[in-house]
Amino acid sequence: MASRHLLNPLAPLDQPTPSSLDGIPEELERDLRAYGGILIQQVGVMLKAPQVVMATAQVLFQRFWFVTSLKHFGIRDVAMGALFLSSKLEESPLRIRDIINCFSYLESLVAYCSTPPYPPPPSFDAYAPMDYFATEFYDMKDALVIAEMQILKRLGFQTQCGLPYGHLVNYLQVLELTGEKELVRRCWGYCNDMLQTPAPALYPQGTLALASIYLSARLSSPPIALPLEPVPWWTHFDTTEDELVHVSTMLLRLYKDWGNDPLGGGKVDGERNGHGGFGVVGRENVWRRAKRIPVTKSGVREVLAHLGAGNGVESSPR
């Protein structure tokens, strides 16, 4: 991965991902990345981890797939490893057992919610925690430890993660938008949800913050006009409109696929739903879509075989 900023190593925009070179369709890769980020966010909320832990874990998760193919590691294992590593990096350590139990619970919940009603009833009781000495528990524990090691190895121990929140606060102050409470809330939620896309591994954290302002201003009712004269406002922050449009497009596609499309007759909620974002977690479409997302590498390979993309000689792990 190239680097435009020491604290935020970035992947080249024009470089194909290892997954695409392995024949994984773009839509499947997008879904796998998004679902891994959603799992990290959900487990972090369940364990009452600070948002910085979940955000850092999602950045590491997204970076990992620019150096490794989704054909060689399952998103569940890498998500667990990223969250465990992030909790240590941010000095808010989480217990391995708690992480495993939460991921296992969410898997059971998705299976349970494969049919309506949505969301699941609060009295969901189909889940039985694994016994501490169960083979499944030790398999998941080994997978978590291996995933953490692979993240460190394949990222060259570059675990510094610049997050967009500080930039967002500064930019809102410069643009005199801090009084627009609804816009500020939307921006914060957009920054959180962008971490479920490849954007944090492709663009500097400042660009993510600017894209959240750009999108929020346009989707506000009525739209909020930001200065375009003598030069467009984003040029003062060392970015281009093309970059803002690209990041915004990735986020809108996430909402369209997983949540509620604000451009397709719906709107992005003004409530955080307790999950730090807008329009993704907690929606009916999440349960439907999650049901068909393979969380293991064997599941991904089965999907590829079904699509006819798994034929031929498999590449070896990089």
Side-chain angles (χ1 to χ4, degrees), residues 36-49 54 76 79-80 83-84 94-96 98-107 275:
I38 290 172
L39 287 174
I40 290 172
Q41 185 73 22
Q42 284 287 276
V43 171
V45 169
M46 292 168 67
L47 296 178
K48 299 182 180 179
M54 295 176 276
R76 181 196 64 186
M80 289 193 301
L83 185 58
F84 182 57
L94 300 173
R95 295 196 311 168
I96 289 181
D98 293 338
I99 293 174
I100 291 174
N101 281 340
C102 287
F103 272 89
S104 176
Y105 171 83
L106 289 177
E107 284 189 51
H275 298 286

PDB file of all heavy atoms in Angstrom, residues 36-49 54 76 79-80 83-84 94-96 98-107 275:
ATOM      1  N   GLY A  36     -18.504  -7.359   7.129  1.00  0.00           N
ATOM      2  CA  GLY A  36     -17.454  -7.438   8.138  1.00  0.00           C
ATOM      3  C   GLY A  36     -17.423  -6.189   9.005  1.00  0.00           C
ATOM      4  O   GLY A  36     -17.293  -6.262  10.234  1.00  0.00           O
ATOM      5  N   GLY A  37     -17.570  -5.009   8.369  1.00  0.00           N
ATOM      6  CA  GLY A  37     -17.604  -3.767   9.129  1.00  0.00           C
ATOM      7  C   GLY A  37     -18.824  -3.682  10.032  1.00  0.00           C
ATOM      8  O   GLY A  37     -18.740  -3.206  11.165  1.00  0.00           O
ATOM      9  N   ILE A  38     -19.973  -4.161   9.538  1.00  0.00           N
ATOM     10  CA  ILE A  38     -21.197  -4.150  10.344  1.00  0.00           C
ATOM     11  C   ILE A  38     -21.042  -5.059  11.558  1.00  0.00           C
ATOM     12  O   ILE A  38     -21.449  -4.719  12.672  1.00  0.00           O
ATOM     13  CB  ILE A  38     -22.399  -4.585   9.480  1.00  0.00           C
ATOM     14  CG1 ILE A  38     -22.736  -3.496   8.457  1.00  0.00           C
ATOM     15  CG2 ILE A  38     -23.617  -4.876  10.352  1.00  0.00           C
ATOM     16  CD1 ILE A  38     -23.784  -3.896   7.442  1.00  0.00           C
ATOM     17  N   LEU A  39     -20.433  -6.241  11.354  1.00  0.00           N
ATOM     18  CA  LEU A  39     -20.215  -7.154  12.479  1.00  0.00           C
ATOM     19  C   LEU A  39     -19.324  -6.516  13.541  1.00  0.00           C
ATOM     20  O   LEU A  39     -19.595  -6.624  14.741  1.00  0.00           O
ATOM     21  CB  LEU A  39     -19.588  -8.456  11.974  1.00  0.00           C
ATOM     22  CG  LEU A  39     -20.489  -9.405  11.196  1.00  0.00           C
ATOM     23  CD1 LEU A  39     -19.676 -10.586  10.643  1.00  0.00           C
ATOM     24  CD2 LEU A  39     -21.629  -9.927  12.075  1.00  0.00           C
ATOM     25  N   ILE A  40     -18.256  -5.861  13.102  1.00  0.00           N
ATOM     26  CA  ILE A  40     -17.361  -5.198  14.053  1.00  0.00           C
ATOM     27  C   ILE A  40     -18.119  -4.144  14.850  1.00  0.00           C
ATOM     28  O   ILE A  40     -18.002  -4.057  16.077  1.00  0.00           O
ATOM     29  CB  ILE A  40     -16.162  -4.569  13.313  1.00  0.00           C
ATOM     30  CG1 ILE A  40     -15.228  -5.658  12.779  1.00  0.00           C
ATOM     31  CG2 ILE A  40     -15.398  -3.616  14.238  1.00  0.00           C
ATOM     32  CD1 ILE A  40     -14.125  -5.137  11.871  1.00  0.00           C
ATOM     33  N   GLN A  41     -18.921  -3.344  14.147  1.00  0.00           N
ATOM     34  CA  GLN A  41     -19.671  -2.283  14.824  1.00  0.00           C
ATOM     35  C   GLN A  41     -20.669  -2.872  15.812  1.00  0.00           C
ATOM     36  O   GLN A  41     -20.797  -2.404  16.952  1.00  0.00           O
ATOM     37  CB  GLN A  41     -20.400  -1.429  13.777  1.00  0.00           C
ATOM     38  CG  GLN A  41     -21.124  -0.216  14.353  1.00  0.00           C
ATOM     39  CD  GLN A  41     -20.176   0.892  14.784  1.00  0.00           C
ATOM     40  OE1 GLN A  41     -19.045   0.968  14.320  1.00  0.00           O
ATOM     41  NE2 GLN A  41     -20.634   1.750  15.680  1.00  0.00           N
ATOM     42  N   GLN A  42     -21.373  -3.918  15.405  1.00  0.00           N
ATOM     43  CA  GLN A  42     -22.377  -4.524  16.266  1.00  0.00           C
ATOM     44  C   GLN A  42     -21.753  -5.140  17.523  1.00  0.00           C
ATOM     45  O   GLN A  42     -22.251  -4.948  18.630  1.00  0.00           O
ATOM     46  CB  GLN A  42     -23.120  -5.607  15.488  1.00  0.00           C
ATOM     47  CG  GLN A  42     -24.124  -5.070  14.487  1.00  0.00           C
ATOM     48  CD  GLN A  42     -25.367  -4.516  15.157  1.00  0.00           C
ATOM     49  OE1 GLN A  42     -26.296  -5.233  15.475  1.00  0.00           O
ATOM     50  NE2 GLN A  42     -25.364  -3.222  15.372  1.00  0.00           N
ATOM     51  N   VAL A  43     -20.661  -5.878  17.336  1.00  0.00           N
ATOM     52  CA  VAL A  43     -20.013  -6.501  18.485  1.00  0.00           C
ATOM     53  C   VAL A  43     -19.446  -5.433  19.416  1.00  0.00           C
ATOM     54  O   VAL A  43     -19.537  -5.556  20.649  1.00  0.00           O
ATOM     55  CB  VAL A  43     -18.909  -7.473  18.024  1.00  0.00           C
ATOM     56  CG1 VAL A  43     -18.070  -7.951  19.219  1.00  0.00           C
ATOM     57  CG2 VAL A  43     -19.516  -8.671  17.303  1.00  0.00           C
ATOM     58  N   GLY A  44     -18.876  -4.381  18.849  1.00  0.00           N
ATOM     59  CA  GLY A  44     -18.369  -3.291  19.683  1.00  0.00           C
ATOM     60  C   GLY A  44     -19.464  -2.662  20.525  1.00  0.00           C
ATOM     61  O   GLY A  44     -19.260  -2.351  21.699  1.00  0.00           O
ATOM     62  N   VAL A  45     -20.639  -2.477  19.931  1.00  0.00           N
ATOM     63  CA  VAL A  45     -21.773  -1.917  20.675  1.00  0.00           C
ATOM     64  C   VAL A  45     -22.196  -2.875  21.781  1.00  0.00           C
ATOM     65  O   VAL A  45     -22.470  -2.463  22.916  1.00  0.00           O
ATOM     66  CB  VAL A  45     -22.947  -1.627  19.719  1.00  0.00           C
ATOM     67  CG1 VAL A  45     -24.216  -1.298  20.506  1.00  0.00           C
ATOM     68  CG2 VAL A  45     -22.603  -0.487  18.777  1.00  0.00           C
ATOM     69  N   MET A  46     -22.259  -4.171  21.458  1.00  0.00           N
ATOM     70  CA  MET A  46     -22.662  -5.157  22.456  1.00  0.00           C
ATOM     71  C   MET A  46     -21.707  -5.169  23.644  1.00  0.00           C
ATOM     72  O   MET A  46     -22.119  -5.363  24.796  1.00  0.00           O
ATOM     73  CB  MET A  46     -22.725  -6.542  21.810  1.00  0.00           C
ATOM     74  CG  MET A  46     -23.845  -6.691  20.788  1.00  0.00           C
ATOM     75  SD  MET A  46     -23.690  -8.211  19.806  1.00  0.00           S
ATOM     76  CE  MET A  46     -23.985  -9.449  21.069  1.00  0.00           C
ATOM     77  N   LEU A  47     -20.416  -4.974  23.377  1.00  0.00           N
ATOM     78  CA  LEU A  47     -19.413  -5.009  24.436  1.00  0.00           C
ATOM     79  C   LEU A  47     -19.139  -3.621  25.029  1.00  0.00           C
ATOM     80  O   LEU A  47     -18.235  -3.484  25.862  1.00  0.00           O
ATOM     81  CB  LEU A  47     -18.112  -5.602  23.886  1.00  0.00           C
ATOM     82  CG  LEU A  47     -18.206  -7.069  23.435  1.00  0.00           C
ATOM     83  CD1 LEU A  47     -16.868  -7.537  22.863  1.00  0.00           C
ATOM     84  CD2 LEU A  47     -18.623  -7.964  24.597  1.00  0.00           C
ATOM     85  N   LYS A  48     -19.913  -2.622  24.571  1.00  0.00           N
ATOM     86  CA  LYS A  48     -19.788  -1.255  25.080  1.00  0.00           C
ATOM     87  C   LYS A  48     -18.362  -0.723  24.934  1.00  0.00           C
ATOM     88  O   LYS A  48     -17.830  -0.036  25.819  1.00  0.00           O
ATOM     89  CB  LYS A  48     -20.242  -1.180  26.541  1.00  0.00           C
ATOM     90  CG  LYS A  48     -21.698  -1.579  26.734  1.00  0.00           C
ATOM     91  CD  LYS A  48     -22.135  -1.460  28.193  1.00  0.00           C
ATOM     92  CE  LYS A  48     -23.597  -1.858  28.355  1.00  0.00           C
ATOM     93  NZ  LYS A  48     -24.053  -1.765  29.770  1.00  0.00           N
ATOM     94  N   ALA A  49     -17.745  -1.055  23.801  1.00  0.00           N
ATOM     95  CA  ALA A  49     -16.396  -0.567  23.512  1.00  0.00           C
ATOM     96  C   ALA A  49     -16.471   0.886  23.041  1.00  0.00           C
ATOM     97  O   ALA A  49     -17.477   1.308  22.459  1.00  0.00           O
ATOM     98  CB  ALA A  49     -15.745  -1.430  22.433  1.00  0.00           C
ATOM     99  N   MET A  54     -13.923   0.508  17.662  1.00  0.00           N
ATOM    100  CA  MET A  54     -14.635  -0.038  16.514  1.00  0.00           C
ATOM    101  C   MET A  54     -14.155   0.597  15.211  1.00  0.00           C
ATOM    102  O   MET A  54     -14.007  -0.084  14.196  1.00  0.00           O
ATOM    103  CB  MET A  54     -16.137   0.160  16.689  1.00  0.00           C
ATOM    104  CG  MET A  54     -16.719  -0.610  17.862  1.00  0.00           C
ATOM    105  SD  MET A  54     -18.470  -0.275  18.132  1.00  0.00           S
ATOM    106  CE  MET A  54     -18.397   1.224  19.108  1.00  0.00           C
ATOM    107  N   ARG A  76     -15.390 -13.202   9.035  1.00  0.00           N
ATOM    108  CA  ARG A  76     -15.662 -13.308  10.471  1.00  0.00           C
ATOM    109  C   ARG A  76     -14.361 -13.384  11.250  1.00  0.00           C
ATOM    110  O   ARG A  76     -14.183 -12.679  12.257  1.00  0.00           O
ATOM    111  CB  ARG A  76     -16.504 -14.547  10.769  1.00  0.00           C
ATOM    112  CG  ARG A  76     -16.842 -14.723  12.243  1.00  0.00           C
ATOM    113  CD  ARG A  76     -17.312 -16.123  12.541  1.00  0.00           C
ATOM    114  NE  ARG A  76     -16.250 -17.105  12.293  1.00  0.00           N
ATOM    115  CZ  ARG A  76     -16.418 -18.430  12.356  1.00  0.00           C
ATOM    116  NH1 ARG A  76     -17.603 -18.930  12.613  1.00  0.00           N
ATOM    117  NH2 ARG A  76     -15.404 -19.254  12.136  1.00  0.00           N
ATOM    118  N   ALA A  79     -12.503 -10.047  11.079  1.00  0.00           N
ATOM    119  CA  ALA A  79     -13.216  -9.045  11.878  1.00  0.00           C
ATOM    120  C   ALA A  79     -12.933  -9.253  13.362  1.00  0.00           C
ATOM    121  O   ALA A  79     -12.700  -8.283  14.107  1.00  0.00           O
ATOM    122  CB  ALA A  79     -14.714  -9.113  11.599  1.00  0.00           C
ATOM    123  N   MET A  80     -12.955 -10.511  13.825  1.00  0.00           N
ATOM    124  CA  MET A  80     -12.639 -10.788  15.228  1.00  0.00           C
ATOM    125  C   MET A  80     -11.213 -10.369  15.546  1.00  0.00           C
ATOM    126  O   MET A  80     -10.949  -9.724  16.572  1.00  0.00           O
ATOM    127  CB  MET A  80     -12.824 -12.287  15.524  1.00  0.00           C
ATOM    128  CG  MET A  80     -14.243 -12.770  15.547  1.00  0.00           C
ATOM    129  SD  MET A  80     -14.424 -14.432  16.276  1.00  0.00           S
ATOM    130  CE  MET A  80     -13.363 -15.415  15.185  1.00  0.00           C
ATOM    131  N   LEU A  83     -10.849  -6.523  15.656  1.00  0.00           N
ATOM    132  CA  LEU A  83     -11.440  -5.917  16.847  1.00  0.00           C
ATOM    133  C   LEU A  83     -10.582  -6.180  18.077  1.00  0.00           C
ATOM    134  O   LEU A  83     -10.376  -5.281  18.909  1.00  0.00           O
ATOM    135  CB  LEU A  83     -12.851  -6.461  17.054  1.00  0.00           C
ATOM    136  CG  LEU A  83     -13.664  -5.831  18.190  1.00  0.00           C
ATOM    137  CD1 LEU A  83     -13.818  -4.331  17.995  1.00  0.00           C
ATOM    138  CD2 LEU A  83     -15.029  -6.499  18.315  1.00  0.00           C
ATOM    139  N   PHE A  84     -10.060  -7.387  18.198  1.00  0.00           N
ATOM    140  CA  PHE A  84      -9.200  -7.719  19.335  1.00  0.00           C
ATOM    141  C   PHE A  84      -7.922  -6.890  19.302  1.00  0.00           C
ATOM    142  O   PHE A  84      -7.506  -6.322  20.326  1.00  0.00           O
ATOM    143  CB  PHE A  84      -8.872  -9.210  19.305  1.00  0.00           C
ATOM    144  CG  PHE A  84      -8.034  -9.687  20.459  1.00  0.00           C
ATOM    145  CD1 PHE A  84      -8.445  -9.503  21.763  1.00  0.00           C
ATOM    146  CD2 PHE A  84      -6.816 -10.325  20.234  1.00  0.00           C
ATOM    147  CE1 PHE A  84      -7.671  -9.937  22.842  1.00  0.00           C
ATOM    148  CE2 PHE A  84      -6.033 -10.765  21.291  1.00  0.00           C
ATOM    149  CZ  PHE A  84      -6.455 -10.567  22.603  1.00  0.00           C
ATOM    150  N   LEU A  94     -10.446  -5.911  25.050  1.00  0.00           N
ATOM    151  CA  LEU A  94     -11.627  -6.765  25.135  1.00  0.00           C
ATOM    152  C   LEU A  94     -11.179  -8.209  25.317  1.00  0.00           C
ATOM    153  O   LEU A  94     -10.130  -8.609  24.801  1.00  0.00           O
ATOM    154  CB  LEU A  94     -12.469  -6.643  23.862  1.00  0.00           C
ATOM    155  CG  LEU A  94     -13.007  -5.249  23.520  1.00  0.00           C
ATOM    156  CD1 LEU A  94     -13.679  -5.262  22.148  1.00  0.00           C
ATOM    157  CD2 LEU A  94     -13.980  -4.773  24.592  1.00  0.00           C
ATOM    158  N   ARG A  95     -11.960  -8.980  26.043  1.00  0.00           N
ATOM    159  CA  ARG A  95     -11.613 -10.382  26.260  1.00  0.00           C
ATOM    160  C   ARG A  95     -11.931 -11.208  25.022  1.00  0.00           C
ATOM    161  O   ARG A  95     -12.962 -11.009  24.369  1.00  0.00           O
ATOM    162  CB  ARG A  95     -12.376 -10.947  27.452  1.00  0.00           C
ATOM    163  CG  ARG A  95     -12.026 -10.317  28.783  1.00  0.00           C
ATOM    164  CD  ARG A  95     -12.508 -11.184  29.935  1.00  0.00           C
ATOM    165  NE  ARG A  95     -13.919 -11.579  29.768  1.00  0.00           N
ATOM    166  CZ  ARG A  95     -14.501 -12.515  30.508  1.00  0.00           C
ATOM    167  NH1 ARG A  95     -13.809 -13.143  31.445  1.00  0.00           N
ATOM    168  NH2 ARG A  95     -15.772 -12.800  30.316  1.00  0.00           N
ATOM    169  N   ILE A  96     -11.045 -12.152  24.716  1.00  0.00           N
ATOM    170  CA  ILE A  96     -11.262 -13.026  23.561  1.00  0.00           C
ATOM    171  C   ILE A  96     -12.584 -13.762  23.689  1.00  0.00           C
ATOM    172  O   ILE A  96     -13.347 -13.868  22.715  1.00  0.00           O
ATOM    173  CB  ILE A  96     -10.092 -14.026  23.414  1.00  0.00           C
ATOM    174  CG1 ILE A  96      -8.825 -13.298  22.936  1.00  0.00           C
ATOM    175  CG2 ILE A  96     -10.452 -15.136  22.429  1.00  0.00           C
ATOM    176  CD1 ILE A  96      -7.625 -14.214  22.747  1.00  0.00           C
ATOM    177  N   ASP A  98     -15.318 -12.918  25.197  1.00  0.00           N
ATOM    178  CA  ASP A  98     -16.455 -12.035  24.950  1.00  0.00           C
ATOM    179  C   ASP A  98     -16.636 -11.777  23.457  1.00  0.00           C
ATOM    180  O   ASP A  98     -17.760 -11.758  22.941  1.00  0.00           O
ATOM    181  CB  ASP A  98     -16.268 -10.714  25.695  1.00  0.00           C
ATOM    182  CG  ASP A  98     -16.325 -10.890  27.207  1.00  0.00           C
ATOM    183  OD1 ASP A  98     -16.908 -11.900  27.662  1.00  0.00           O
ATOM    184  OD2 ASP A  98     -15.781 -10.036  27.928  1.00  0.00           O
ATOM    185  N   ILE A  99     -15.538 -11.552  22.762  1.00  0.00           N
ATOM    186  CA  ILE A  99     -15.608 -11.302  21.321  1.00  0.00           C
ATOM    187  C   ILE A  99     -16.183 -12.515  20.605  1.00  0.00           C
ATOM    188  O   ILE A  99     -17.081 -12.399  19.752  1.00  0.00           O
ATOM    189  CB  ILE A  99     -14.210 -10.952  20.762  1.00  0.00           C
ATOM    190  CG1 ILE A  99     -13.732  -9.607  21.326  1.00  0.00           C
ATOM    191  CG2 ILE A  99     -14.236 -10.908  19.232  1.00  0.00           C
ATOM    192  CD1 ILE A  99     -12.309  -9.249  20.942  1.00  0.00           C
ATOM    193  N   ILE A 100     -15.675 -13.697  20.939  1.00  0.00           N
ATOM    194  CA  ILE A 100     -16.146 -14.926  20.293  1.00  0.00           C
ATOM    195  C   ILE A 100     -17.632 -15.144  20.565  1.00  0.00           C
ATOM    196  O   ILE A 100     -18.411 -15.477  19.656  1.00  0.00           O
ATOM    197  CB  ILE A 100     -15.314 -16.125  20.769  1.00  0.00           C
ATOM    198  CG1 ILE A 100     -13.887 -16.019  20.223  1.00  0.00           C
ATOM    199  CG2 ILE A 100     -15.959 -17.445  20.336  1.00  0.00           C
ATOM    200  CD1 ILE A 100     -12.941 -17.079  20.752  1.00  0.00           C
ATOM    201  N   ASN A 101     -18.048 -14.972  21.810  1.00  0.00           N
ATOM    202  CA  ASN A 101     -19.454 -15.169  22.153  1.00  0.00           C
ATOM    203  C   ASN A 101     -20.364 -14.220  21.383  1.00  0.00           C
ATOM    204  O   ASN A 101     -21.453 -14.609  20.924  1.00  0.00           O
ATOM    205  CB  ASN A 101     -19.672 -14.999  23.654  1.00  0.00           C
ATOM    206  CG  ASN A 101     -19.263 -16.224  24.451  1.00  0.00           C
ATOM    207  OD1 ASN A 101     -19.160 -17.326  23.916  1.00  0.00           O
ATOM    208  ND2 ASN A 101     -19.004 -16.041  25.736  1.00  0.00           N
ATOM    209  N   CYS A 102     -19.935 -12.979  21.220  1.00  0.00           N
ATOM    210  CA  CYS A 102     -20.757 -11.998  20.509  1.00  0.00           C
ATOM    211  C   CYS A 102     -20.851 -12.331  19.020  1.00  0.00           C
ATOM    212  O   CYS A 102     -21.940 -12.225  18.430  1.00  0.00           O
ATOM    213  CB  CYS A 102     -20.187 -10.597  20.707  1.00  0.00           C
ATOM    214  SG  CYS A 102     -20.462  -9.914  22.359  1.00  0.00           S
ATOM    215  N   PHE A 103     -19.747 -12.707  18.420  1.00  0.00           N
ATOM    216  CA  PHE A 103     -19.792 -13.079  17.008  1.00  0.00           C
ATOM    217  C   PHE A 103     -20.653 -14.328  16.807  1.00  0.00           C
ATOM    218  O   PHE A 103     -21.426 -14.421  15.850  1.00  0.00           O
ATOM    219  CB  PHE A 103     -18.384 -13.310  16.461  1.00  0.00           C
ATOM    220  CG  PHE A 103     -17.724 -12.061  15.940  1.00  0.00           C
ATOM    221  CD1 PHE A 103     -16.977 -11.246  16.776  1.00  0.00           C
ATOM    222  CD2 PHE A 103     -17.846 -11.703  14.612  1.00  0.00           C
ATOM    223  CE1 PHE A 103     -16.376 -10.090  16.304  1.00  0.00           C
ATOM    224  CE2 PHE A 103     -17.247 -10.550  14.116  1.00  0.00           C
ATOM    225  CZ  PHE A 103     -16.510  -9.738  14.969  1.00  0.00           C
ATOM    226  N   SER A 104     -20.515 -15.278  17.706  1.00  0.00           N
ATOM    227  CA  SER A 104     -21.328 -16.490  17.627  1.00  0.00           C
ATOM    228  C   SER A 104     -22.814 -16.153  17.792  1.00  0.00           C
ATOM    229  O   SER A 104     -23.672 -16.697  17.079  1.00  0.00           O
ATOM    230  CB  SER A 104     -20.886 -17.482  18.702  1.00  0.00           C
ATOM    231  OG  SER A 104     -21.714 -18.632  18.707  1.00  0.00           O
ATOM    232  N   TYR A 105     -23.110 -15.254  18.711  1.00  0.00           N
ATOM    233  CA  TYR A 105     -24.500 -14.840  18.930  1.00  0.00           C
ATOM    234  C   TYR A 105     -25.083 -14.200  17.672  1.00  0.00           C
ATOM    235  O   TYR A 105     -26.223 -14.490  17.273  1.00  0.00           O
ATOM    236  CB  TYR A 105     -24.557 -13.864  20.098  1.00  0.00           C
ATOM    237  CG  TYR A 105     -25.909 -13.204  20.282  1.00  0.00           C
ATOM    238  CD1 TYR A 105     -26.924 -13.851  20.976  1.00  0.00           C
ATOM    239  CD2 TYR A 105     -26.158 -11.940  19.756  1.00  0.00           C
ATOM    240  CE1 TYR A 105     -28.168 -13.254  21.142  1.00  0.00           C
ATOM    241  CE2 TYR A 105     -27.394 -11.338  19.918  1.00  0.00           C
ATOM    242  CZ  TYR A 105     -28.396 -11.997  20.610  1.00  0.00           C
ATOM    243  OH  TYR A 105     -29.611 -11.406  20.762  1.00  0.00           O
ATOM    244  N   LEU A 106     -24.306 -13.307  17.027  1.00  0.00           N
ATOM    245  CA  LEU A 106     -24.805 -12.631  15.834  1.00  0.00           C
ATOM    246  C   LEU A 106     -25.040 -13.615  14.694  1.00  0.00           C
ATOM    247  O   LEU A 106     -26.004 -13.465  13.923  1.00  0.00           O
ATOM    248  CB  LEU A 106     -23.829 -11.533  15.402  1.00  0.00           C
ATOM    249  CG  LEU A 106     -23.775 -10.299  16.301  1.00  0.00           C
ATOM    250  CD1 LEU A 106     -22.729  -9.320  15.803  1.00  0.00           C
ATOM    251  CD2 LEU A 106     -25.139  -9.624  16.375  1.00  0.00           C
ATOM    252  N   GLU A 107     -24.180 -14.615  14.559  1.00  0.00           N
ATOM    253  CA  GLU A 107     -24.396 -15.636  13.540  1.00  0.00           C
ATOM    254  C   GLU A 107     -25.713 -16.364  13.787  1.00  0.00           C
ATOM    255  O   GLU A 107     -26.499 -16.606  12.857  1.00  0.00           O
ATOM    256  CB  GLU A 107     -23.236 -16.637  13.524  1.00  0.00           C
ATOM    257  CG  GLU A 107     -21.972 -16.122  12.866  1.00  0.00           C
ATOM    258  CD  GLU A 107     -20.926 -17.232  12.690  1.00  0.00           C
ATOM    259  OE1 GLU A 107     -21.287 -18.288  12.153  1.00  0.00           O
ATOM    260  OE2 GLU A 107     -19.784 -17.021  13.119  1.00  0.00           O
ATOM    261  N   HIS A 275     -26.200   2.673  17.260  1.00  0.00           N
ATOM    262  CA  HIS A 275     -25.130   1.938  16.606  1.00  0.00           C
ATOM    263  C   HIS A 275     -24.121   2.858  15.939  1.00  0.00           C
ATOM    264  O   HIS A 275     -23.256   2.392  15.219  1.00  0.00           O
ATOM    265  CB  HIS A 275     -25.721   0.989  15.564  1.00  0.00           C
ATOM    266  CG  HIS A 275     -26.621  -0.040  16.160  1.00  0.00           C
ATOM    267  ND1 HIS A 275     -26.150  -1.107  16.877  1.00  0.00           N
ATOM    268  CD2 HIS A 275     -27.969  -0.155  16.176  1.00  0.00           C
ATOM    269  CE1 HIS A 275     -27.163  -1.849  17.295  1.00  0.00           C
ATOM    270  NE2 HIS A 275     -28.284  -1.286  16.884  1.00  0.00           N
TER     271      HIS A 275
END
